[in-house]
């Protein structure tokens, strides 16, 4: 009987931890990186936003000091292999879900970089969310 | 007991034969390409465009080499660098064979991309890569012949117009005929394997 009791406590403990494991209860930004580029060109940044909260949130804008403008775009391919980019006014972040910014998909576009982005540099980026407010992240420049 | 052992032996023998057949089938099967093969290859009309320092690049001068063509533009921050980064990995993957392949980007945006600009852009991925631009009148027949769609797109972006363009990679054989296309997203491994196979076949 003692063993069964002990086991049930153990099972309960494991269940409790795994239930919490899925979300931190916060909105987090991970795996961020910027593609190397030169001043005067356009650049791109990528990351994964996890909305661990129980409410939907919206990415309203992104600001940086390294370009004339910082925009969010989506690269999309059609059935004929034609790729185009569409500017996104905002990005919806569903509660307890994540949105991946990745090459060939959703990405941050730096228009007219004011400086070179070299591998090893770190770029501060400010992401402005409707609920989570402004989050600043330091993003490394990496070769893909 | 003896009977049991015999069954076991029979099982082992069957397994060995089955394995042999499997190996035969897998290894004797002709190579199947990852790219889309154009059969018969489509002869491409010779063209001349400009590379760095306005130097002429003529397709027919590349005879004997496989030519990889990609269409893009230097203001493109996402899809074009992805493809050029893949080119670099393919180049590295091919080893010595890379000398038998030309890696070329042709602009889809001649109004903003000068030959120098495209050359400088691709050289950042590898000094061996070739960047080409030219007059619209020189580019349009190339786009048309290969079925490359190019369209300026008013995006509302601070970058001005963007360009929608076909993002496939076009493979021309050593005679300058279109042999294969790789859709966007083909991995460097698949591209390198296909190219190595093409080089092997062209030797025979």
């Amino acid at each position: 009987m003692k063993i069964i009791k002990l086991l049930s406590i153990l099972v309960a403990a494991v269940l409790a931890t795994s239930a919490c494991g899925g979300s931190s209860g916060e909105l987090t930004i991970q795996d961020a990186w910027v593609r190397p580029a030169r001043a005067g060109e356009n650049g791109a940044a990528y990351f994964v936003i996890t909305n661990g909260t129980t409410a939907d949130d919206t990415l309203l804008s992104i600001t940086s000091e390294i370009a004339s403008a910082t925009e969010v775009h989506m690269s999309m391919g059609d059935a004929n292999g034609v790729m185009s980019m569409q500017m996104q006014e905002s990005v919806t972040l569903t509660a307890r879900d994540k949105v991946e910014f990745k090459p060939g998909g959703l990405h941050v576009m730096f228009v007219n970089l004011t400086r070179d982005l070299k591998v090893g540099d770190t770029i501060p980026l400010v992401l402005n969310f409707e609920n989570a407010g402004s989050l600043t992240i330091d993003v490394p420049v990496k070769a893909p | 007991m003896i009977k049991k052992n015999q069954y076991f032996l029979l099982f082992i023998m069957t397994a060995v034969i089955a394995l042999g057949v499997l190996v035969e089938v897998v290894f004797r099967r002709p190579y199947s390409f990852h790219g889309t093969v154009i059969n018969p290859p489509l002869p491409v009309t010779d063209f001349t465009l400009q590379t760095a320092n306005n130097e002429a690049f003529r397709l027919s001068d590349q005879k004997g080499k496989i030519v990889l063509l990609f269409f893009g533009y230097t203001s493109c921050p996402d899809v074009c660098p992805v493809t050029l980064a893949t080119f670099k990995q393919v180049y590295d993957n091919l080893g010595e064979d890379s000398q038998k392949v030309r890696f070329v980007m042709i602009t889809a945006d001649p109004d903003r991309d000068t030959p120098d600009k495209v050359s400088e852009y691709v050289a950042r991925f590898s000094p061996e890569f070739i960047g080409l631009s030219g007059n619209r009148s020189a580019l349009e027949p190339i786009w048309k012949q290969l079925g490359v769609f190019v369209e300026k797109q008013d995006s509302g972006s601070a970058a001005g117009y963007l360009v929608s363009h076909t993002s496939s990679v076009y493979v021309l054989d050593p005679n300058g005929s279109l042999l294969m296309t790789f859709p966007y997203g083909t991995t460097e491994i698949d591209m390198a394997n296909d190219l190595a196979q093409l080089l092997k076949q062209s030797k025979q």
Side-chain angles (χ1 to χ4, degrees):
Chain A
M1 274 312 270
K2 223 176 185 177
I3 290 175
I4 289 172
K5 206 172 174 185
L6 207 76
L7 262 177
S8 59
I9 290 170
L10 209 72
V11 167
V14 168
L15 281 177
T17 1
S18 60
C20 294
S23 73
S24 56
E26 290 177 348
L27 190 140
T28 56
I29 303 151
Q30 282 151 322
D31 302 329
W33 63 285
V34 178
R35 198 180 281 291
R38 295 220 179 132
E41 292 183 351
N42 300 330
Y46 309 93
F47 40 68
V48 179
I49 305 176
T50 306
N51 181 3
T53 73
T54 50
D56 291 355
D57 204 340
T58 307
L59 174 64
L60 300 171
S61 65
I62 299 177
T63 43
S64 78
E65 286 174 358
I66 58 162
S68 305
T70 306
E71 302 169 351
V72 175
H73 285 256
M74 171 86 102
S75 295
M76 282 179 297
D78 71 7
N80 299 316
V82 176
M83 283 295 241
S84 47
M85 293 201 308
Q86 215 151 64
M87 194 155 92
Q88 311 288 302
E89 290 298 324
S90 61
V91 179
T92 303
L93 305 154
T94 312
R96 296 192 179 283
D97 205 355
K98 57 183 174 185
V99 173
E100 201 177 340
F101 284 57
K102 60 179 180 201
L106 210 52
H107 59 277
V108 179
M109 177 174 176
F110 301 110
V111 178
N112 188 21
L113 289 162
T114 51
R115 49 162 286 190
D116 289 351
L117 303 181
K118 294 203 182 89
V119 174
D121 292 353
T122 305
I123 309 302
L125 263 190
V126 184
L127 286 79
N128 305 302
F129 298 96
E130 193 167 40
N131 297 333
S134 293
L135 298 181
T136 303
I137 53 169
D138 287 320
V139 186
V141 180
K142 279 189 200 170
Chain B
M1 263 327 257
I2 292 165
K3 213 171 179 191
K4 211 171 178 184
N5 273 341
Q6 279 174 335
Y7 273 125
F8 184 66
L9 202 69
L10 195 70
F11 170 75
I12 291 287
M13 280 168 68
T14 316
V16 166
I17 290 166
L19 192 73
V21 169
L22 192 76
V23 165
E24 182 77 6
V25 168
V26 170
F27 287 95
R28 285 288 173 88
R29 204 172 48 183
Y31 181 85
S32 97
F33 288 102
H34 302 91
T36 308
V37 178
I38 318 284
N39 196 9
L42 174 80
V44 176
T45 311
D46 196 18
F47 62 78
T48 303
L49 291 171
Q50 280 72 46
T51 183
N53 304 313
N54 272 327
E55 238 175 79
F57 173 98
R58 198 165 65 159
L59 179 65
S60 52
D61 289 344
Q62 317 308 316
K63 224 176 176 112
K65 309 244 183 202
I66 286 180
V67 178
L68 295 189
L69 295 179
F70 165 69
F71 297 82
Y73 64 115
T74 65
S75 325
C76 159
D78 185 47
V79 168
C80 307
V82 169
T83 303
L84 288 169
T86 305
F87 268 14
K88 173 69 168 83
Q89 288 166 319
V90 171
Y91 180 87
D92 291 343
N93 243 306
L94 283 173
E96 272 181 27
D97 275 348
S98 65
Q99 297 309 309
K100 297 167 193 154
V101 181
R102 292 265 188 259
F103 296 79
V104 181
M105 170 168 152
I106 298 180
T107 190
D109 185 13
D111 299 341
R112 289 187 296 201
D113 283 345
T114 61
D116 276 340
K117 207 167 169 186
V118 189
S119 302
E120 195 200 297
Y121 186 74
V122 299
R124 229 168 296 154
F125 294 85
S126 165
E128 300 280 329
F129 292 177
I130 299 158
L132 301 178
S133 186
N135 295 329
R136 212 158 248 285
S137 57
L139 287 162
E140 271 167 0
I142 305 169
W143 297 340
K144 196 172 166 195
Q145 188 178 14
L146 292 173
V148 176
F149 176 88
V150 174
E151 190 178 68
K152 282 189 193 178
Q153 173 202 347
D154 222 349
S155 61
S157 165
Y161 67 85
L162 300 171
V163 182
S164 299
H165 60 89
T166 304
S167 51
S168 310
V169 172
Y170 295 80
V171 184
L172 309 193
D173 69 13
N175 297 314
S177 297
L178 177 63
L179 189 60
M180 195 186 289
T181 58
F182 291 119
Y184 175 79
T186 304
T187 66
E188 65 276 13
I189 305 285
D190 288 350
M191 268 194 216
N193 284 343
D194 278 10
L195 293 171
Q197 180 66 26
L198 288 177
L199 287 167
K200 206 157 61 170
Q201 286 177 0
S202 70
K203 255 187 247 162
Q204 287 165 359

